Amino acid sequence: MCGIVGYLGKQQAYQILVQGLHRLEYRGYDSSGVAMISDSGALNIYKAKGKVKALEDHAKDKDLSGSIGIAHTRWATHGEPNDINAHPHCSQSQNIALVHNGTIENYNVLKEALTQQGYTFVSETDTEVVVQLIEYIKTKNNCSLFDAVKEAARQVVGAYAIAVIDKNNPDEIIAARQSSPLVIGIKDDEYFLASDATPIIEYTNKVVYLNDGEIAVINRKDGLRVFDIKSRSEAKICITELKMSIEELEKGGYPHFMLKEIFEQPKTLADCISGRISSDGKRVVLSGVIEHKEKFLNANRIIIVACGTSWHAALIGKHLIEDFCRTPVVVEYASEFRYCNPVVGENDILIALSQSGETADTLAALELAKSRGAFVFGICNVIGSSIPRATHSGCYIHVGPEIGVASTKAFTGQVTVLAMLALLVGQMKGLVSDETLEKVASDIRRVPLLIKDIFKMNDRIQDLAKIFTYAHNFLYLGRGYNYPSALEGALKLKEISYIHAEGYPAAEMKHGTIALIDNDMPSVVIAIKDNVYEKTVSNIQQVKARGGKVVAIVTEGDTVVSGMADYVLEVPEISECLTPLLTSIPLQLLAYYIAVNKGRNVDQPRNLAKSVTVE
Ligand code: M6R
């Protein structure tokens, strides 16, 4: 939610800032802006409603000089998307500029106090309060920008990652973080600041992740120094070397990141599995679990918290862990868990499942469980993000940067890691036989190849998408392991095509939802050969009897469902617990092609952002 970029160095800042905004556009794209201190010492701020491209068009004839600057791409929280509410925001004297990712909870109180001191506000944002507060403190105390930002950071309540520049000091950027991410890249005497590492990686692989409650001073002469906001003590700078490559951040010839990410899955899952199943196929190696074996053996309960697609993967994780480990698992929406005074304690394991590792609700749920004594374990994709850094242990899904807002390869990566975790813990508990482990592990290894097989249906799915492009509603039905796949299929369609879709447990449909079925309401039914296959077949008949059109996802060679469904998409046979890894692929493609046919912005659907770092 909102992306921040900053640069201080010897190059001209503008291109670096704008290129950085393009990389971070997935975090929000309703407006953007830059602030630079020009070569002649002016503070130039350019902002535009809409995508970064609109900013570039607006700025093209302006003074773009300057080797220090900050920039922002916005996902609106306070105030509608327009030029005025766009960041950077400027102080009353027009000397200080600030960009912010997060939300300031006490902005009304601060705004009132500042208004009484003669400050006026031009925007409806919470952010403007912060820059005015900094100026007020700086003027009142006659202190440095660093001291003023530090004091302001102590007074604001909420989540923030901020970057601040002062026209009177073109040699310094001040940045601070609390609950919103901030990364600083270092290359000799150049400094790159960003909400995540993607804008930085083309310049340097050496980065410093700022911790919560830290403030950084980036100064041309003195370099980077980091301090604790509360104690004021200087913190040790810990430089991490990133392994990400620039190619991973490009579309690689695909029209959209989403399509690229769908087609990447054979490779990303191979990466996810790599080194985690022993070469003889008899053992699963997840060091984050093995190092805390006792915790997993003795846990009374596992709670998985997540949001959106990750929540769907968590539901599959519940089936996997309960099947293989016989440990009770509850799956909670992180946003609900954090406010429902949950019963959680030291005999529980809380798994925080998140692609970005930055989702505010998931992070808060994890902190809550940790404060109550639970062992907290993260399963994330983005290396070095907030959730992995807040957990006792965890493992990455290693599927590479996911840039399309609609999650695809992260979902299959999450399910794959959960399957390996369930097998490993089940084996440690003596509940999974060597035979079962070898069979399922060998099937996990086959998944990349089987997904390649499914891609052979790409043209058929594209044709199918044409038939359903103008449907107004969809029902997605599945059972057991594939009930979450149905939820996920429906979410994919909704978020990128804006067609209403509902995911439902197939058998539950007859308790109400069946009333919706008619000729205009297609149902996508996952009817693979599992332990409830015959029941699902009956559910299909119930839909057909009411005039509903059925698209069925079936196991290769199925003749029964093929005889009754209107359209059939086959997936190869595999262990039942892994079937969501295959059934999700045609659903991703179907949603993608329908959205493309409707002319939607697939990678940046309206109202959404990739990482939801606000409540
Ligand atoms: O980064 P996270 O996995 O924590 O994100 C959770 C959801 O915001 C995310 O899965 C969202 O639902 C996606 N847009 C779904 O495609």
Side-chain angles (χ1 to χ4, degrees), residues 160-161 175-184 208-216 226-229 235-238 240 384-386 388-390:
Y160 57 81
R177 92 159 254 183
Q178 181 60 52
S179 306
S180 292
L182 213 44
V183 189
I184 300 166
V208 174
Y209 290 98
L210 221 57
N211 291 312
D212 270 347
E214 285 183 344
I215 181 166
V226 176
F227 298 83
D228 186 275
I229 293 171
K236 194 169 169 287
I237 291 177
C238 173
T240 305
S385 55
S386 299
R389 291 187 311 127

Side-chain angles (χ1 to χ4, degrees), residues 203-223:
Y203 308 103
T204 175
N205 67 348
K206 293 194 172 44
V207 298
V208 174
Y209 290 98
L210 221 57
N211 291 312
D212 270 347
E214 285 183 344
I215 181 166
V217 196
I218 302 166
N219 185 287
R220 261 187 231 280
K221 197 157 84 31
D222 303 330

Side-chain angles (χ1 to χ4, degrees), residues 5 54 56 70 79 108 130 164 194 222 231 253 258 302 308 425 449 465 474:
V5 194
E56 288 179 277
I70 53 177
N108 263 330
V130 186
V164 193
D222 303 330
S231 71
M258 181 179 176
I302 293 179
V425 177
L449 271 181
F474 263 90

Side-chain angles (χ1 to χ4, degrees), residues 80-209:
E80 65 174 274
N82 60 29
D83 293 357
I84 295 174
N85 291 331
H87 302 212
H89 287 284
C90 201
S91 66
Q92 191 142 295
S93 69
Q94 308 290 309
N95 283 339
I96 302 173
L98 174 143
V99 288
H100 167 221
N101 166 209
T103 43
I104 304 301
E105 288 165 18
N106 61 342
Y107 82 100
N108 263 330
V109 181
L110 294 170
K111 192 170 181 175
E112 220 176 286
L114 288 163
T115 307
Q116 278 169 19
Q117 296 300 324
Y119 280 81
T120 52
F121 292 83
V122 293
S123 79
E124 305 156 281
T125 65
D126 51 343
T127 302
E128 193 185 358
V129 170
V130 186
V131 70
Q132 303 285 31
L133 178 64
I134 292 170
E135 177 159 287
Y136 170 69
I137 296 169
K138 187 169 181 291
T139 315
K140 184 167 161 253
N141 300 347
N142 192 20
C143 63
S144 67
L145 182 67
F146 170 71
D147 283 333
V149 175
K150 197 168 57 187
E151 180 51 33
R154 292 155 73 99
Q155 291 187 27
V156 298
V157 177
Y160 57 81
I162 53 173
V164 193
I165 53 173
D166 181 351
K167 178 182 166 182
N168 296 316
N169 186 357
D171 295 327
E172 196 165 270
I173 300 179
I174 309 290
R177 92 159 254 183
Q178 181 60 52
S179 306
S180 292
L182 213 44
V183 189
I184 300 166
I186 307 176
K187 184 187 177 200
D188 305 323
D189 45 6
E190 285 185 289
Y191 297 89
F192 305 83
L193 188 79
S195 297
D196 70 32
T198 54
I200 297 176
I201 199 69
E202 56 200 281
Y203 308 103
T204 175
N205 67 348
K206 293 194 172 44
V207 298
V208 174
Y209 290 98

Side-chain angles (χ1 to χ4, degrees), residues 307-310 353-357 359 362 405-407 414 491-492 495 610 612:
C307 304
T309 287
S310 298
L353 190 59
S354 169
Q355 184 286 129
S356 61
T359 301
T362 311
V405 164
S407 189
Q414 290 169 333
L491 177 63
K492 285 291 85 83
E495 69 180 324
K610 182 76 182 159
V612 185

